[in-house]
Amino acid sequence: MTTEEKLRHFYEVSIESAKEEAAKAISQYRDSLEAELEKHKKEKKAASENQFKIESENAAREINKALSSEHLHIKRRLSKKHQELEEKLFQEVEEMLKTFLSSPEYTDWLEDKVKKALKAAQGDQVEIYLSSGDEALAEELEKRTGIRPQISQDSFLGGIRAVIPEKNILIDYTLLTLLESEKENFNFDGGLKHE
């Protein structure tokens, strides 16, 4: 083989070897890049999922906060409406009581309460007091019950108060006390849900 042929052969073998090494290096580099790409994709996906989770939790918190605020607002409006209705109801009750005070049934009711107080006294001395607005009924009650009621300096809407001094007992059959008691114990069970 001549020198020229040897050089050509050497050249071809060298080129072939260089091509193989270059192909091998390119293949390794490609594999490395693909591995790096997969790692990058996984990291980005994990970061994206984490960000989505954080944003979802933030959105849920904001929604809950808005719902809580609206719930509180609705409760306040319901409470205000409840108060308005309760006031209106008790105004109507007071009007009905005023109508009752001018009816004949009121005198019958007073008579019944005086008799109950006398029965509770069991023969002991009883002092019966009428509201200052019921002075005109004192004589009629005396005829019906045999006891002359005293007129209180205070107006208690109607009804009687009885005092049994020997037993240190106060019997309160006043409409004002009954009305105040009803207002205090009133429970408005209305609307969509009982709370």
Side-chain angles (χ1 to χ4, degrees), residues 1-2 5 16 22 32 38 44 48 58 68 73 75 77 87 98 109 116-117 128 130 132 139 158-159 161 184 190:
M1 202 187 282
T2 66
E5 287 176 345
E16 194 62 37
S32 173
E38 285 303 313
K44 286 297 180 183
S48 175
N58 286 341
S68 179
H73 179 68
K75 278 189 117 173
R77 285 187 9 227
E87 287 173 11
K98 287 177 184 173
W109 184 80
K116 283 184 178 181
I128 305 289
L130 285 178
S132 59
E139 190 176 318
R161 283 194 178 127
E184 187 176 315

mmCIF file of all heavy atoms in Angstrom, residues 1-2 5 16 22 32 38 44 48 58 68 73 75 77 87 98 109 116-117 128 130 132 139 158-159 161 184 190:
data_model
loop_
_atom_site.group_PDB
_atom_site.id
_atom_site.type_symbol
_atom_site.label_atom_id
_atom_site.label_comp_id
_atom_site.label_asym_id
_atom_site.label_seq_id
_atom_site.Cartn_x
_atom_site.Cartn_y
_atom_site.Cartn_z
ATOM 1 N N MET A 1 0.837 -1.135 0.000
ATOM 2 C CA MET A 1 0.000 0.000 0.000
ATOM 3 C C MET A 1 0.904 1.226 0.000
ATOM 4 O O MET A 1 1.880 1.288 0.734
ATOM 5 C CB MET A 1 -0.854 -0.063 1.260
ATOM 6 C CG MET A 1 -2.070 0.725 1.137
ATOM 7 S SD MET A 1 -3.041 0.880 2.598
ATOM 8 C CE MET A 1 -3.894 -0.523 2.806
ATOM 9 N N THR A 2 0.535 2.156 -0.773
ATOM 10 C CA THR A 2 1.371 3.335 -0.925
ATOM 11 C C THR A 2 1.066 4.296 0.207
ATOM 12 O O THR A 2 0.055 4.180 0.910
ATOM 13 C CB THR A 2 1.113 4.027 -2.266
ATOM 14 O OG1 THR A 2 -0.200 4.525 -2.249
ATOM 15 C CG2 THR A 2 1.397 3.143 -3.411
ATOM 16 N N GLU A 5 -2.206 5.957 -0.216
ATOM 17 C CA GLU A 5 -3.318 5.077 0.124
ATOM 18 C C GLU A 5 -3.410 4.951 1.629
ATOM 19 O O GLU A 5 -4.515 4.908 2.210
ATOM 20 C CB GLU A 5 -3.120 3.699 -0.503
ATOM 21 C CG GLU A 5 -3.345 3.688 -1.991
ATOM 22 C CD GLU A 5 -3.060 2.330 -2.610
ATOM 23 O OE1 GLU A 5 -2.428 1.464 -1.957
ATOM 24 O OE2 GLU A 5 -3.504 2.139 -3.733
ATOM 25 N N GLU A 16 -14.329 8.345 10.041
ATOM 26 C CA GLU A 16 -15.351 7.399 10.500
ATOM 27 C C GLU A 16 -15.384 7.369 12.019
ATOM 28 O O GLU A 16 -16.454 7.396 12.629
ATOM 29 C CB GLU A 16 -15.051 5.998 9.930
ATOM 30 C CG GLU A 16 -16.185 5.022 10.051
ATOM 31 C CD GLU A 16 -17.428 5.456 9.282
ATOM 32 O OE1 GLU A 16 -17.342 6.027 8.184
ATOM 33 O OE2 GLU A 16 -18.541 5.238 9.840
ATOM 34 N N ALA A 22 -18.776 11.624 17.337
ATOM 35 C CA ALA A 22 -19.683 12.768 17.284
ATOM 36 C C ALA A 22 -21.126 12.295 17.444
ATOM 37 O O ALA A 22 -21.921 12.907 18.182
ATOM 38 C CB ALA A 22 -19.507 13.521 15.981
ATOM 39 N N SER A 32 -29.307 13.557 27.515
ATOM 40 C CA SER A 32 -29.156 14.463 28.649
ATOM 41 C C SER A 32 -30.190 15.594 28.572
ATOM 42 O O SER A 32 -30.829 15.940 29.575
ATOM 43 C CB SER A 32 -27.743 15.038 28.677
ATOM 44 O OG SER A 32 -27.629 16.032 29.654
ATOM 45 N N GLU A 38 -37.556 16.446 30.766
ATOM 46 C CA GLU A 38 -38.531 15.697 31.586
ATOM 47 C C GLU A 38 -38.516 16.199 33.032
ATOM 48 O O GLU A 38 -39.560 16.387 33.646
ATOM 49 C CB GLU A 38 -38.247 14.187 31.538
ATOM 50 C CG GLU A 38 -38.645 13.518 30.244
ATOM 51 C CD GLU A 38 -40.121 13.723 29.909
ATOM 52 O OE1 GLU A 38 -40.993 13.536 30.799
ATOM 53 O OE2 GLU A 38 -40.427 14.096 28.751
ATOM 54 N N LYS A 44 -42.151 21.879 36.688
ATOM 55 C CA LYS A 44 -43.149 22.880 36.305
ATOM 56 C C LYS A 44 -44.565 22.387 36.610
ATOM 57 O O LYS A 44 -45.414 23.155 37.069
ATOM 58 C CB LYS A 44 -43.029 23.252 34.812
ATOM 59 C CG LYS A 44 -41.841 24.116 34.497
ATOM 60 C CD LYS A 44 -41.974 25.447 35.211
ATOM 61 C CE LYS A 44 -40.780 26.334 34.906
ATOM 62 N NZ LYS A 44 -40.858 27.583 35.633
ATOM 63 N N SER A 48 -46.966 24.058 39.139
ATOM 64 C CA SER A 48 -48.280 24.476 38.657
ATOM 65 C C SER A 48 -49.388 23.898 39.538
ATOM 66 O O SER A 48 -50.335 24.600 39.900
ATOM 67 C CB SER A 48 -48.460 24.017 37.208
ATOM 68 O OG SER A 48 -49.745 24.297 36.753
ATOM 69 N N ASN A 58 -57.016 29.830 48.414
ATOM 70 C CA ASN A 58 -57.265 31.267 48.579
ATOM 71 C C ASN A 58 -58.657 31.643 48.096
ATOM 72 O O ASN A 58 -59.359 32.428 48.745
ATOM 73 C CB ASN A 58 -56.213 32.091 47.828
ATOM 74 C CG ASN A 58 -54.862 32.083 48.522
ATOM 75 O OD1 ASN A 58 -54.762 31.773 49.702
ATOM 76 N ND2 ASN A 58 -53.812 32.418 47.790
ATOM 77 N N SER A 68 -69.645 34.384 54.727
ATOM 78 C CA SER A 68 -69.782 34.715 56.144
ATOM 79 C C SER A 68 -70.259 36.148 56.321
ATOM 80 O O SER A 68 -71.146 36.426 57.134
ATOM 81 C CB SER A 68 -68.443 34.501 56.845
ATOM 82 O OG SER A 68 -68.530 34.838 58.187
ATOM 83 N N HIS A 73 -74.738 39.807 57.393
ATOM 84 C CA HIS A 73 -75.591 40.903 56.915
ATOM 85 C C HIS A 73 -77.064 40.479 56.916
ATOM 86 O O HIS A 73 -77.941 41.232 57.364
ATOM 87 C CB HIS A 73 -75.137 41.325 55.516
ATOM 88 C CG HIS A 73 -75.939 42.413 54.916
ATOM 89 N ND1 HIS A 73 -75.934 43.703 55.403
ATOM 90 C CD2 HIS A 73 -76.799 42.415 53.864
ATOM 91 C CE1 HIS A 73 -76.753 44.447 54.681
ATOM 92 N NE2 HIS A 73 -77.287 43.690 53.741
ATOM 93 N N LYS A 75 -78.392 38.062 58.729
ATOM 94 C CA LYS A 75 -78.835 37.902 60.123
ATOM 95 C C LYS A 75 -79.182 39.250 60.745
ATOM 96 O O LYS A 75 -80.159 39.359 61.491
ATOM 97 C CB LYS A 75 -77.755 37.207 60.949
ATOM 98 C CG LYS A 75 -77.749 35.703 60.810
ATOM 99 C CD LYS A 75 -76.806 35.096 61.811
ATOM 100 C CE LYS A 75 -77.645 34.250 62.723
ATOM 101 N NZ LYS A 75 -76.875 33.466 63.655
ATOM 102 N N ARG A 77 -80.212 41.931 59.121
ATOM 103 C CA ARG A 77 -81.474 42.383 58.528
ATOM 104 C C ARG A 77 -82.654 41.632 59.124
ATOM 105 O O ARG A 77 -83.702 42.225 59.403
ATOM 106 C CB ARG A 77 -81.431 42.211 57.009
ATOM 107 C CG ARG A 77 -80.569 43.255 56.348
ATOM 108 C CD ARG A 77 -80.578 43.280 54.821
ATOM 109 N NE ARG A 77 -81.519 42.481 54.126
ATOM 110 C CZ ARG A 77 -81.217 41.687 53.084
ATOM 111 N NH1 ARG A 77 -79.976 41.624 52.650
ATOM 112 N NH2 ARG A 77 -82.136 40.984 52.477
ATOM 113 N N GLU A 87 -92.142 44.800 67.819
ATOM 114 C CA GLU A 87 -92.674 46.080 68.293
ATOM 115 C C GLU A 87 -94.090 46.306 67.776
ATOM 116 O O GLU A 87 -94.967 46.745 68.528
ATOM 117 C CB GLU A 87 -91.758 47.228 67.860
ATOM 118 C CG GLU A 87 -90.456 47.291 68.641
ATOM 119 C CD GLU A 87 -89.471 48.321 68.087
ATOM 120 O OE1 GLU A 87 -89.866 49.133 67.220
ATOM 121 O OE2 GLU A 87 -88.305 48.305 68.533
ATOM 122 N N LYS A 98 -106.153 48.143 75.576
ATOM 123 C CA LYS A 98 -106.914 49.379 75.798
ATOM 124 C C LYS A 98 -108.392 49.163 75.471
ATOM 125 O O LYS A 98 -109.267 49.665 76.171
ATOM 126 C CB LYS A 98 -106.333 50.518 74.968
ATOM 127 C CG LYS A 98 -105.008 51.014 75.502
ATOM 128 C CD LYS A 98 -104.409 52.093 74.618
ATOM 129 C CE LYS A 98 -103.025 52.485 75.137
ATOM 130 N NZ LYS A 98 -102.333 53.407 74.231
ATOM 131 N N TRP A 109 -113.149 40.543 84.823
ATOM 132 C CA TRP A 109 -111.778 40.030 85.022
ATOM 133 C C TRP A 109 -111.187 40.560 86.329
ATOM 134 O O TRP A 109 -110.564 39.811 87.085
ATOM 135 C CB TRP A 109 -110.926 40.437 83.809
ATOM 136 C CG TRP A 109 -109.524 39.904 83.825
ATOM 137 C CD1 TRP A 109 -109.112 38.667 83.477
ATOM 138 C CD2 TRP A 109 -108.345 40.624 84.209
ATOM 139 N NE1 TRP A 109 -107.756 38.546 83.614
ATOM 140 C CE2 TRP A 109 -107.251 39.742 84.071
ATOM 141 C CE3 TRP A 109 -108.103 41.915 84.665
ATOM 142 C CZ2 TRP A 109 -105.946 40.110 84.366
ATOM 143 C CZ3 TRP A 109 -106.805 42.288 84.951
ATOM 144 C CH2 TRP A 109 -105.737 41.387 84.806
ATOM 145 N N LYS A 116 -109.544 35.924 93.645
ATOM 146 C CA LYS A 116 -108.377 35.043 93.770
ATOM 147 C C LYS A 116 -107.433 35.547 94.861
ATOM 148 O O LYS A 116 -106.887 34.753 95.630
ATOM 149 C CB LYS A 116 -107.627 34.940 92.433
ATOM 150 C CG LYS A 116 -108.289 34.045 91.436
ATOM 151 C CD LYS A 116 -107.456 33.909 90.180
ATOM 152 C CE LYS A 116 -108.142 32.961 89.199
ATOM 153 N NZ LYS A 116 -107.376 32.774 87.972
ATOM 154 N N ALA A 117 -107.259 36.853 94.942
ATOM 155 C CA ALA A 117 -106.393 37.432 95.975
ATOM 156 C C ALA A 117 -106.990 37.193 97.362
ATOM 157 O O ALA A 117 -106.269 36.860 98.312
ATOM 158 C CB ALA A 117 -106.190 38.922 95.721
ATOM 159 N N ILE A 128 -106.166 45.798 98.431
ATOM 160 C CA ILE A 128 -106.289 45.695 96.977
ATOM 161 C C ILE A 128 -106.075 47.092 96.384
ATOM 162 O O ILE A 128 -106.665 48.070 96.831
ATOM 163 C CB ILE A 128 -107.688 45.178 96.560
ATOM 164 C CG1 ILE A 128 -108.016 43.853 97.238
ATOM 165 C CG2 ILE A 128 -107.805 45.098 95.036
ATOM 166 C CD1 ILE A 128 -107.240 42.671 96.744
ATOM 167 N N LEU A 130 -106.028 49.361 92.790
ATOM 168 C CA LEU A 130 -106.362 49.503 91.368
ATOM 169 C C LEU A 130 -105.411 50.507 90.736
ATOM 170 O O LEU A 130 -104.898 51.402 91.409
ATOM 171 C CB LEU A 130 -107.790 50.029 91.198
ATOM 172 C CG LEU A 130 -108.941 49.076 91.455
ATOM 173 C CD1 LEU A 130 -110.270 49.821 91.274
ATOM 174 C CD2 LEU A 130 -108.888 47.893 90.530
ATOM 175 N N SER A 132 -104.356 53.762 88.693
ATOM 176 C CA SER A 132 -104.941 55.106 88.796
ATOM 177 C C SER A 132 -105.985 55.374 87.711
ATOM 178 O O SER A 132 -106.909 56.158 87.929
ATOM 179 C CB SER A 132 -103.839 56.166 88.742
ATOM 180 O OG SER A 132 -103.111 56.046 87.534
ATOM 181 N N GLU A 139 -116.038 51.489 92.935
ATOM 182 C CA GLU A 139 -117.342 51.282 93.581
ATOM 183 C C GLU A 139 -117.996 49.986 93.101
ATOM 184 O O GLU A 139 -118.520 49.210 93.901
ATOM 185 C CB GLU A 139 -118.249 52.490 93.289
ATOM 186 C CG GLU A 139 -119.521 52.495 94.110
ATOM 187 C CD GLU A 139 -120.335 53.759 93.864
ATOM 188 O OE1 GLU A 139 -119.759 54.861 93.785
ATOM 189 O OE2 GLU A 139 -121.563 53.611 93.749
ATOM 190 N N GLY A 158 -103.603 48.544 84.046
ATOM 191 C CA GLY A 158 -104.857 47.928 84.443
ATOM 192 C C GLY A 158 -104.560 46.723 85.306
ATOM 193 O O GLY A 158 -103.412 46.341 85.492
ATOM 194 N N GLY A 159 -105.634 46.161 85.886
ATOM 195 C CA GLY A 159 -105.441 45.013 86.752
ATOM 196 C C GLY A 159 -105.364 45.449 88.197
ATOM 197 O O GLY A 159 -105.723 46.566 88.554
ATOM 198 N N ARG A 161 -103.195 45.002 92.205
ATOM 199 C CA ARG A 161 -102.110 44.514 93.061
ATOM 200 C C ARG A 161 -102.746 44.278 94.413
ATOM 201 O O ARG A 161 -103.535 45.088 94.896
ATOM 202 C CB ARG A 161 -100.994 45.547 93.192
ATOM 203 C CG ARG A 161 -100.111 45.608 91.985
ATOM 204 C CD ARG A 161 -98.819 46.375 92.280
ATOM 205 N NE ARG A 161 -97.989 46.353 91.093
ATOM 206 C CZ ARG A 161 -97.466 47.420 90.518
ATOM 207 N NH1 ARG A 161 -97.661 48.611 91.044
ATOM 208 N NH2 ARG A 161 -96.732 47.305 89.445
ATOM 209 N N GLU A 184 -90.605 40.019 77.613
ATOM 210 C CA GLU A 184 -89.326 39.428 78.009
ATOM 211 C C GLU A 184 -89.209 37.974 77.555
ATOM 212 O O GLU A 184 -88.146 37.531 77.133
ATOM 213 C CB GLU A 184 -89.193 39.504 79.530
ATOM 214 C CG GLU A 184 -87.847 39.086 80.044
ATOM 215 C CD GLU A 184 -87.731 39.282 81.547
ATOM 216 O OE1 GLU A 184 -88.137 40.353 82.041
ATOM 217 O OE2 GLU A 184 -87.247 38.356 82.197
ATOM 218 N N GLY A 190 -90.239 32.298 63.545
ATOM 219 C CA GLY A 190 -90.806 32.473 62.226
ATOM 220 C C GLY A 190 -89.706 32.485 61.191
ATOM 221 O O GLY A 190 -88.527 32.457 61.498
#
